[in-house]
Amino acid sequence: MTYLFANWKMYLHADEALELAKQAAGFEYDSEKTKIAIFPPMISLSEIINELKGSNVSSGAQNVAWTPMGAYTGATSALLAQKAGCRYALVGHSERRYVFHETDQDVRKKIEACIDANITPVLCIGETKQEKETGEREERLKEQLEIALREMDITSSDDLIIAYEPVWAIAGSGTGEACTPQDVEEVHDFILNCAKALTGHDHPILYGGSVTSENVVSYLSLAHVNGVLVGSASTHVDSFKSLLEACNKI
Ligand code: PGA
């Protein structure tokens, strides 16, 4: 299975997001081989879930609160996302960690909330440029995985997806300079083993950070790269379609 997950961040107005979702719902692809999910701005989520009904395209939340319900102004919980029809939720995206100051402990609580709400978490991890340059990459990734997953009851490999997104490689919030395929291969192997030691399963691992229709094949053809989490290149119909065409060829 190849995962093509589209993180639309805060890039699209509601009418633009709905239009793009409509087009994505009409994409032709083998859903046994490729899994597409759209993570739209929260304000568009219900409308998009409605639009995607009857198609093979799933949807997810870009972020969730860890507590199910209550007096939490501005928050949307994993439970509310699940009730609205979300299948997935991004947890610990680097923009949440570094712009909104979410901690590893917050990330753990969100993973727990997703599992309780029966929504599949996409745990995002990644090192900063400084951690990479000082040789602390593996240590940081291991720490993020351990805090998020230690003694977490995850019953099967598909109940958790991991996304490796080096903070520096993300367009807009990072440098936009993509990670080399050689590095991605090495890091994915490391993540696979660390996660397996924690949960006992081989979880799908996606790469994210400046993925485009030009470089996507160089990642998807690597061992242990089960898909991609794409931001800006998934927000235009032509490049979204080209990404899908590349996945179809794998
Ligand atoms: P990008 O974002 O593809 O725009 O670099 C990826 C992500 O942050 O999920």
Side-chain angles (χ1 to χ4, degrees), residues 35-95:
K35 207 177 269 274
I36 302 181
I38 293 173
F39 298 77
M42 199 57 97
I43 203 160
S44 300
L45 198 54
S46 286
E47 198 175 32
I48 284 181
I49 287 169
N50 226 3
E51 188 61 44
L52 296 176
K53 271 189 193 136
S55 83
N56 290 312
V57 179
S58 306
S59 56
Q62 294 178 12
N63 177 38
V64 288
W66 57 77
T67 193
M69 303 210 31
Y72 298 94
T73 302
T76 303
S77 66
L79 177 70
L80 296 190
Q82 192 273 341
K83 294 277 182 212
C86 279
R87 166 116 195 252
Y88 302 99
L90 302 183
V91 175
H93 188 279
S94 73
E95 286 148 18

Side-chain angles (χ1 to χ4, degrees), residues 8-21:
W8 290 353
K9 307 193 181 187
M10 207 172 72
Y11 282 132
L12 302 169
H13 299 166
D15 50 354
E16 294 166 336
L18 183 63
E19 180 54 34
L20 187 52

Side-chain angles (χ1 to χ4, degrees), residues 185-197:
E185 185 158 45
E186 212 180 285
V187 173
H188 275 228
D189 189 53
F190 176 77
I191 293 173
L192 186 75
N193 292 321
C194 280
K196 186 162 189 166

